[in-house]
Amino acid sequence: MNSVKKVGLFLGIACMFFILLLPEIPGLKPVGQKALALTTIMVIWWVTEAVPIWLTAPLPLALSPPIGLAGVWSTPAKITVGTNYAPAVVMFSLGVFLLAAGMEKGNVQKRSAA
C-alpha cells in the first residue's frame, strides 16, 4: 500500500467523523449531515483507491446502521438500508457469490472431492 492510499484511508475516516461530530450545519437536516459523512468517506476512498471499489460500494449497507442513518423517518418515508440499496434477490445473490468465493479461497471444493 503506497502513501497516497494510506493517507486516503485515514483521511476518509477522519473526515467522516469530523462531519458527524460537527454541530448542526445550517440548512441541512441531521439526516443529511449523516448522509454527507457517508458520502465523504466513500468519495475519498474511491478517489485515492485506499480500499478496493468492490469493497467501498456496499459501505452504505455496513455504515448506515451504526451512524444512525438507517431507520430514520425522512420525507416521505422511512429510510431502510437494504430495500433502498438493492432488492432482496440482489442481496441474496451477493451473499451466495461471497460464500462461494470464500469456499473457493479455502479450497473447500478440493477437500470435499477427495
Side-chain angles (χ1 to χ4, degrees):
M1 182 180 270
N2 62 22
S3 60
V4 173
K5 290 182 180 182
K6 287 180 185 177
V7 168
L9 181 69
F10 294 112
L11 182 67
I13 295 169
C15 286
M16 182 186 78
F17 282 117
F18 177 74
I19 292 172
L20 286 174
L21 295 175
L22 280 175
E24 188 174 325
I25 299 172
L28 188 63
K29 294 181 180 178
V31 173
Q33 190 167 344
K34 292 173 185 177
L36 177 65
L38 184 60
T39 304
T40 302
I41 189 173
M42 291 181 69
V43 167
I44 290 173
W45 282 4
W46 275 335
V47 170
T48 62
E49 295 180 356
V51 177
I53 291 176
W54 62 268
L55 193 58
T56 308
L59 209 57
L61 289 172
L63 290 181
S64 290
I67 66 173
L69 190 58
V72 175
W73 284 97
S74 179
T75 341
K78 187 175 181 182
I79 298 174
T80 54
V81 182
T83 55
N84 288 341
Y85 200 71
V89 174
V90 173
M91 297 310 295
F92 177 75
S93 300
L94 177 65
V96 169
F97 293 146
L98 288 174
L99 183 63
M103 290 174 68
E104 184 179 358
K105 188 169 180 128
N107 289 324
V108 174
Q109 76 278 11
K110 291 179 183 177
R111 294 178 193 173
S112 63

